[in-house]
Amino acid sequence: MTGTDTGLDVVTFGEAMAMFVAQESGPLHRAATFVRATAGAETNVATGLARLGHRSGWIGRLGDDPLGLFVEEELRSCGIDLTRVETDDTAPTGFQLKSRADGGDPEVVYFRRGSAGSRLAWSEPMGTYVSSARHLHLTGIPLAISETARDFAFRAVAAARAGGASVSFDPNLRPSLWASEQEMVAVVNEVAALADWVLPGVEEGRVLTGHSDPESIAEHYLTAGVARVVVKNGCHGAVAFGPEGTVRQPAFQVEAVDTVGAGDGFAAGLISAHLDGLELGPALERAAAVGALATTSAGDKDGLPDRERLDRFLATTSVAA
């Protein structure tokens, strides 16, 4: 695969899958028509950053099959660098079925066990690639899908640190992928303590820290050495804690079509603002705007904006009262 190992703004990694989205309302087992798309928290973030004009790269492993080729072509068309994407000729590309959301949370069923993506493994060229970027973004999903992917995550953070990159971490909890909640909490919090920013949802924070309020969730991670914590709370907005103090950002008023991908859009907006040198207040506003726009379409990444649409949205859209 073509590309460059240098000059990237952001690198992320994980499992990308094909997704089949039902076109009729109702339970998945009754759906007869599906539209094909791509899915993956990390590729959503990479897509959002590319659309905002940043140079983003994604590391992953795809099967040597039609779904793998589809995912590769889709990601490449989004402007994502795929230099360190590997093809596996012995394991399939994972996929998922997703119900029509109609403004709520859709039903999602995964077919990913033993997938090519779960075979992600570290190598020396991966370290060079990660350390060349300005920023590394990771989620808790690779920590759960296999031992080699979990090892990759720890090594990627170390490589980013060695290269002077900043690191953001979205827990993105998937309890069904873990052997136990105890293991999930221990490993996710171990990685979180290595990041510059931690971006939990308020319910994720409750699971991970035992606290229900944003202030206590943030204190847990700030005490562990994290520089900034941003706690997301859906339609109630988000609140950031760090050296600048506490910054609150109300949610933007949009007509949500599908809430999947909102957190990925939020992360993309926050990272974009960091790369552009914005202070925490404007950065949080951009994050909230991109996250809101991500919910306005049926695909996980279809609503992610380019600069023009983002600027227009910020100029014309109100936050919730």
Side-chain angles (χ1 to χ4, degrees), residues 5 11 18 23 75 81 84-85 93 102 136 169 178 183 206 279:
D5 277 359
V11 166
Q23 297 304 285
L75 299 181
D81 184 81
R84 291 301 164 197
V85 173
T93 304
D102 291 327
L136 172 71
F169 177 60
W178 291 88
E183 180 189 31
R206 184 195 65 77
E279 295 184 354

Side-chain angles (χ1 to χ4, degrees), residues 287-303:
V290 178
L293 284 165
T295 71
T296 60
S297 68
D300 291 5
K301 62 181 177 58
D302 295 344

Side-chain angles (χ1 to χ4, degrees), residues 231-312:
V231 181
K232 300 166 289 183
N233 196 12
C235 63
H236 300 292
V239 56
F241 304 85
E244 306 89 342
T246 301
V247 178
R248 300 182 184 275
Q249 173 62 47
F252 284 94
Q253 296 178 333
V254 297
E255 186 172 343
V257 174
D258 186 336
T259 58
V260 175
D264 304 329
F266 187 97
L270 192 67
I271 296 165
S272 169
H274 165 69
L275 294 170
D276 286 347
L278 298 188
E279 295 184 354
L280 187 56
L284 205 58
E285 180 185 48
R286 181 181 293 185
V290 178
L293 284 165
T295 71
T296 60
S297 68
D300 291 5
K301 62 181 177 58
D302 295 344
L304 295 169
D306 59 17
R307 289 274 179 167
E308 182 180 358
R309 185 181 179 210
L310 175 62
D311 291 344
R312 186 166 61 248

Side-chain angles (χ1 to χ4, degrees), residues 61-65 86-94 113-120:
R61 197 171 180 87
L62 298 169
D64 185 14
D65 50 43
E86 298 177 338
T87 300
D88 191 323
D89 60 5
T90 62
T93 304
R113 187 180 299 276
S115 69
S118 69
R119 297 186 176 193
L120 178 66

